[in-house]
Structures are given as C-alpha cells and as structure tokens.
Amino acid sequence: VQLQASGGGLVQAGGSLRLSCVASGRTFSSYAMGWFRQAPGKEREFVLARSGGSTYYADSVKGRFTISRDNAKNTVYLQMNNLKPEDTAVYYCAAVKVYTYYSGSYYYASSNYDYWGQGTQVTVSS
C-alpha cells in the first residue's frame, strides 16, 4: 500500500483545512487509517484514527478534527476546524491492516502502523 497525503498549507488561527490521503491497492477497506503529526523538535504524535465504525481522537483535537473515508476512492480525509497555532506540524497519514478487533489504544501507537504517507505541512498563524 502506498499513501499520498495532500492538502496542507498556511491558514490563520480559527480557520479550516482538509487533508486528503489517497491509498493505492485494492484492499483499502481492510485497513484502519490514522493521522499523526510532528511539530519541529517534538516527537510524532497521534491525532485520530478510524477503524470500521469507530473513531479515536487525541484529546487536543476532540471537537475540532474529524476523519472520514471514501472506500470507493481509496481516500481518507482529515477535516480540521478551528485551527490553533499549536496545530502547526507535518501531518502524516498511516494505514494498518486490521485482522481482528483492536482496542482504541492500539491505534494511538505509531509503531502499529504498516504504511505511511510522505507528510504534508500545516502551518497555523496567530
């Protein structure tokens, strides 16, 4: 599976952006999809993930970010609203093959993901 993320850019605080992540391959629906981000000088951190009908969020983005997917287009979206300067980071999409039920905490760990996109820069100005 190859992932291609896009949609990043510069936005003012309070604004919105939608990131897209297009996946290659025919088994997209069998993968859970996640978004992570990495700010300069910081470790990569979990943002949110979608597996089946369940969505898992980092506390810092609850109520502001949502994830959706279109399996027909092999695409997952990250809608980011009410952006804050602290949301500035490179955003990465990631995919993990789902073989069984995993608890929510499984998706928080970047090490559990099998495939990664190249990242897209999001910059929020104050």
Side-chain angles (χ1 to χ4, degrees):
V1 174
Q2 292 185 326
L3 305 176
Q4 181 74 33
S6 62
L10 174 64
V11 64
Q12 288 187 333
S16 298
L17 277 176
R18 188 178 79 159
L19 307 184
S20 300
C21 177
V22 180
S24 64
R26 298 183 178 181
T27 60
F28 178 69
S29 61
S30 62
Y31 286 82
M33 300 298 295
W35 288 92
F36 289 76
R37 65 188 181 186
Q38 187 166 19
K42 295 187 177 181
E43 295 187 353
R44 190 171 298 189
E45 65 173 2
F46 171 78
V47 177
L48 74 175
R50 179 79 176 263
S51 179
S54 298
T55 303
Y56 308 96
Y57 298 89
D59 288 342
S60 60
V61 306
K62 278 182 181 177
R64 302 188 298 123
F65 291 12
T66 57
I67 185 172
S68 61
R69 61 190 295 166
D70 184 337
N71 287 338
K73 295 182 178 180
N74 280 12
T75 302
V76 63
Y77 303 98
L78 174 61
Q79 178 66 45
M80 304 184 293
N81 298 327
N82 191 22
L83 283 160
K84 303 176 180 180
E86 52 263 41
D87 295 318
T88 295
V90 178
Y91 284 71
Y92 298 89
C93 59
V96 54
K97 188 73 177 291
V98 178
Y99 296 98
T100 185
Y101 170 78
Y102 299 123
S103 65
S105 59
Y106 180 87
Y107 298 103
Y108 299 167
S110 59
S111 58
N112 289 329
Y113 288 78
D114 303 310
Y115 304 99
W116 290 84
Q118 85 287 4
T120 184
Q121 176 71 46
V122 172
T123 303
V124 185
S125 63
S126 57

